[in-house]
């Protein structure tokens, strides 16, 4: 039996598409429905490694977890990872096929469409239901031709669409009515209803507007979802810098926000840690004093390294080290700590080489075959167990690798300076391991770390989201759209 598909599209980016899809996946999975998330085309620098050894957007990995599944490349067949303002690395069914500028990718969409429909077809054959997520807005007139991200996909697979808008931004009725007006007649017909997201206040005051919206468009309002204060889900792109209330005397951790920062979800466990004062420092800000500075991953390492130099970070880091502060580099940040970075094929921009900060005796060459793997092992710090994942094109060599950061099941990873003040690693997600986090925080100066169970927090947040959506969304309408009364769908 082929799965039915329901698509969630938004009037704007960050309207709540990803969170609604995650909530629906958890709600349906709870009821025994074999449901899978799907996003035809994603643009994000936060990604995850899948069970089949590929790469997809981070949001789809979260949605897979909500559905009780391991992430798979078919859940996000096209991933665009921007490496300049006009170009991106294109990842198709988990594998990078090269860099394309906007014009070239527009021409490539015909090929990408085949991959999208192939992946969707495989999921449809394995599951009872698919909840798909659109990208940006379906009303971007300049992107309509050859669209595979929104209505172009919905029309191709003939699925209903829910349109979600964020009332917290203001202008929610204009967003919904305007988006609908810019769609073609057949596209408007497949919009099955509206969802209003992030509402706070008295619903009675909103009701006249809801009544008007239904009369004006002939479409039902399927739900008004509440603003969930402090909700934490791993972000697709936007950096969430808010703290949950770090205690007095907390360890001060600073992370520079570079133009092509990637996988900043690495720091979510630290952001939620009550003994850690995590600060993302933006280009317009002066970096504050810190106990630990972490150089994050990057999609364009040499460009981000140049940015750090031109904005005064090199001098700040030298002073930080001179006064005994600790420095950790993750992935691209690890490569920056070495002597040189070479990109002979122009994988992340123009071909060429540049000098690194020179604090670790190693050099990195970017090679076409990206390293994608989920890993486990133990840190050399306290032999603490660690799990994580690698996503990098760099091959790093040098004598300092004889002092590794971690011993993995099949090899060593990373490096530590002779004085123990600087460490580098290719492991993303390492702060999701409690013992590893405790060891790193002790190394950085926190005497008695009490690291919370991040996996439990993440599950609880998905459940909180699902409970709220289930209480405020017309789930009977969702069942009808997915035709879940079909014999054998419910377990």
């Amino acid at each position: 039996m082929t799965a039915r598909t329901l698509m969630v599209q938004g009037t704007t980016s960050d309207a709540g598409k990803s969170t609604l899809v995650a909530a629906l996946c958890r709600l349906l999975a709870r009821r025994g429905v074999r449901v899978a998330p799907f996003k035809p085309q994603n643009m994000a620098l936060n990604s995850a490694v899948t069970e089949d050894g590929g790469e997809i957007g981070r949001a789809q990995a979260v949605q897979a977890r909500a559905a009780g599944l391991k992430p798979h490349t078919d859940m996000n067949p096209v991933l665009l990872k921007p490496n300049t303002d006009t170009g991106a690395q294109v990842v198709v069914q988990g594998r990078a096929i090269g860099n394309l500028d906007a014009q070239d990718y527009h021409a490539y969409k015909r090929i990408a469409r085949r991959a999208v429909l192939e992946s969707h077809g495989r999921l449809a054959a394995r599951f009872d239901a698919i909840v798909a997520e659109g990208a940006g807005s379906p009303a971007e007139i300049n992107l309509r031709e050859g669209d595979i991200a929104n209505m172009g996909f919905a029309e191709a697979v003939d699925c209903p669409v829910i349109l979600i808008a964020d009332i917290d931004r203001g202008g929610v009725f204009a967003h919904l009515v305007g988006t609908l007006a810019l769609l073609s007649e057949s596209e408007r017909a497949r919009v099955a209803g509206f969802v209003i997201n992030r509402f706070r206040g008295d619903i009675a005051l909103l009701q006249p507007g809801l009544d008007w919206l239904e009369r004006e468009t002939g479409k039902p309002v399927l739900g008004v979802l509440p603003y969930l204060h402090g909700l934490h889900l791993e972000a697709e792109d936007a950096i969430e810098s808010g703290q949950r209330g770090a205690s007095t005397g907390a360890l001060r951790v600073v992370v520079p926000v570079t133009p092509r920062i990637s996988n900043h979800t690495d720091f979510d466990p630290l952001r939620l840690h009550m003994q850690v004062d995590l600060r993302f420092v933006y280009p317009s800000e002066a970096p504050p004093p810190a106990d630990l500075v972490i150089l994050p991953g990057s999609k364009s390492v040499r460009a981000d390294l140049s940015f750090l130099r031109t904005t005064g970070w090199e001098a700040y880091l030298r002073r930080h080290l001179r006064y005994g502060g600790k420095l950790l580099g993750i992935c691209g940040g690890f490569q920056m700590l070495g002597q040189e970075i070479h990109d002979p094929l122009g994988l992340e921009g123009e071909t060429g080489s540049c000098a690194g900060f020179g604090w670790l005796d190693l050099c990195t060459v970017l090679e076409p075959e990206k390293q994608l793997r989920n890993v486990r092992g133990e840190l050399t710090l306290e032999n603490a167990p660690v799990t994580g994942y690698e996503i990098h094109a760099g091959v790093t060599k040098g004598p300092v690798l004889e002092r590794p950061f971690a011993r993995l099941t099949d090899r060593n990873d990373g490096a530590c300076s002779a004085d123990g003040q600087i460490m580098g690693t290719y492991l993303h997600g390492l702060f999701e391991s409690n013992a590893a986090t405790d060891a790193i925080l002790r190394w950085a100066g926190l005497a008695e770390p009490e690291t919370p169970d991040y996996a439990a927090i993440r599950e609880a947040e998905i459940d909180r989201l699902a409970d709220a959506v289930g209480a405020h969304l017309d789930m009977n309408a969702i069942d009808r759209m997915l035709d879940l009364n079909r014999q054998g769908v419910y377990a």
Side-chain angles (χ1 to χ4, degrees):
M1 186 180 294
T2 301
R4 300 295 176 89
T5 299
L6 168 64
M7 192 172 201
V8 177
Q9 297 181 11
T11 58
T12 61
S13 293
D14 201 33
K17 300 183 292 293
S18 296
T19 53
L20 180 54
V21 171
L24 289 173
C25 284
R26 177 56 56 92
L27 287 166
L28 293 169
R30 282 176 180 172
R31 292 159 56 193
V33 178
R34 296 179 305 146
V35 59
F38 184 75
K39 185 160 186 172
Q41 175 186 293
N42 196 351
M43 179 176 284
L45 287 176
N46 288 340
S47 56
V49 176
T50 63
E51 65 170 342
D52 54 326
E55 182 180 9
I56 63 171
R58 195 77 196 164
Q60 281 61 66
V62 173
Q63 293 159 359
R65 186 174 292 112
L69 303 172
K70 292 182 178 180
H72 192 280
T73 53
D74 281 337
M75 295 172 182
N76 176 207
V78 178
L79 174 63
L80 307 178
K81 304 187 75 173
N83 48 27
T84 69
D85 288 343
T86 59
Q89 182 183 68
V90 180
V91 179
V92 177
Q93 293 175 332
R95 299 293 172 186
I97 59 94
N99 295 329
L100 296 176
D101 63 25
Q103 290 287 347
D104 289 339
Y105 178 70
H106 186 70
Y108 181 80
K109 277 200 262 186
R110 176 177 52 82
I111 300 172
R113 175 187 174 91
R114 288 202 297 268
V116 165
L117 296 180
E118 286 172 3
S119 288
H120 176 265
R122 284 193 289 265
L123 290 180
R126 293 174 52 202
F127 292 92
D128 301 321
I130 296 172
V131 185
E133 178 187 342
S137 162
E140 303 291 353
I141 303 302
N142 55 309
L143 300 177
R144 296 286 295 278
E145 184 182 353
D147 171 57
I148 59 172
N150 289 296
M151 283 298 180
F153 168 77
E155 297 257 83
V157 302
D158 191 23
C159 71
V161 170
I162 292 174
L163 195 59
I164 187 170
D166 179 4
I167 196 170
D168 198 53
R169 295 171 175 233
V172 69
F173 298 113
H175 283 170
L176 289 167
V177 174
T179 299
L180 206 62
L182 291 174
L183 301 179
S184 71
E185 184 176 348
S186 64
E187 292 167 347
R188 281 194 297 272
R190 71 178 57 255
V191 175
F194 304 124
V195 172
I196 292 176
N197 193 28
R198 299 191 183 108
F199 176 73
R200 38 186 162 184
D202 186 346
I203 191 70
L205 297 177
L206 182 63
Q207 192 60 50
L210 303 181
D211 294 340
W212 174 89
L213 181 63
E214 292 187 337
R215 287 195 309 271
E216 182 73 14
T217 65
K219 308 285 186 183
V221 176
L222 301 170
V224 177
L225 308 183
Y227 192 106
L228 295 181
H229 293 275
L231 178 70
H232 169 73
L233 287 182
E234 290 159 301
E236 189 163 66
D237 245 351
I239 295 176
E240 297 182 33
S241 56
Q243 295 292 114
R244 286 204 172 179
S247 61
T248 303
L251 189 82
R252 300 167 301 173
V253 179
V254 162
V255 179
V257 177
T258 58
R260 299 298 169 194
I261 185 172
S262 67
N263 285 71
H264 56 72
T265 49
D266 284 341
F267 308 109
D268 285 3
L270 297 182
R271 192 170 63 83
L272 303 178
H273 200 302
M274 296 297 290
Q275 296 171 291
V276 173
D277 178 13
L278 179 73
R279 303 289 179 91
F280 287 107
V281 179
Y282 290 85
S284 60
E285 300 174 320
D291 301 299
L292 170 63
V293 177
I294 306 178
L295 300 182
S298 167
K299 190 64 195 73
S300 298
V301 179
R302 288 189 300 136
D304 277 352
L305 176 57
S306 175
F307 163 83
L308 290 175
R309 284 195 164 112
T310 57
T311 52
W313 274 91
E314 185 167 19
Y316 166 84
L317 292 172
R318 291 188 183 281
R319 186 168 61 251
H320 169 76
L321 292 170
R322 188 164 60 248
Y323 286 99
K326 300 296 174 61
L327 178 60
L328 172 65
I330 297 177
C331 199
F334 169 40
Q335 296 170 357
M336 293 178 189
L337 296 175
Q339 303 290 338
E340 293 178 314
I341 301 167
H342 305 284
D343 188 359
L345 301 176
L347 298 175
E348 294 187 349
E350 293 184 5
T351 59
S353 303
C354 73
F357 287 127
W359 292 316
L360 293 177
D361 192 3
L362 56 84
C363 293
T364 300
V365 178
L366 302 187
E367 297 187 353
E369 189 66 28
K370 191 182 291 190
Q371 306 298 308
L372 298 165
R373 44 174 96 88
N374 292 301
V375 300
R376 63 177 57 250
E378 60 182 27
L379 303 187
T380 52
L381 286 173
E382 304 177 12
N383 296 322
V386 66
T387 61
Y389 59 98
E390 295 182 37
I391 302 177
H392 59 93
V395 174
T396 299
K397 297 179 180 180
V400 73
L401 300 180
E402 297 297 319
R403 291 189 299 272
F405 173 81
R407 301 182 188 91
L408 305 180
T409 52
D410 59 346
R411 68 195 183 286
N412 290 338
D413 163 78
C416 303
S417 63
D419 61 6
Q421 196 176 0
I422 302 170
M423 299 193 300
T425 176
Y426 272 121
L427 299 188
H428 293 290
L430 66 97
F431 294 115
E432 296 181 30
S433 302
N434 284 26
T437 301
D438 284 347
I440 292 170
L441 294 182
R442 274 191 286 268
W443 166 72
L446 187 62
E448 297 181 3
E450 299 175 1
T451 298
D453 186 338
Y454 181 70
I457 292 173
R458 183 167 51 196
E459 281 298 301
E461 291 291 84
I462 294 173
D463 280 333
R464 180 162 78 104
L465 170 66
D467 290 344
V469 170
H472 292 88
L473 188 67
D474 184 350
M475 290 303 296
N476 289 327
I478 301 300
D479 286 356
R480 289 192 297 272
M481 291 177 208
L482 289 169
D483 194 17
L484 291 181
N485 292 323
R486 286 172 290 158
Q487 183 177 2
V489 167
Y490 288 114

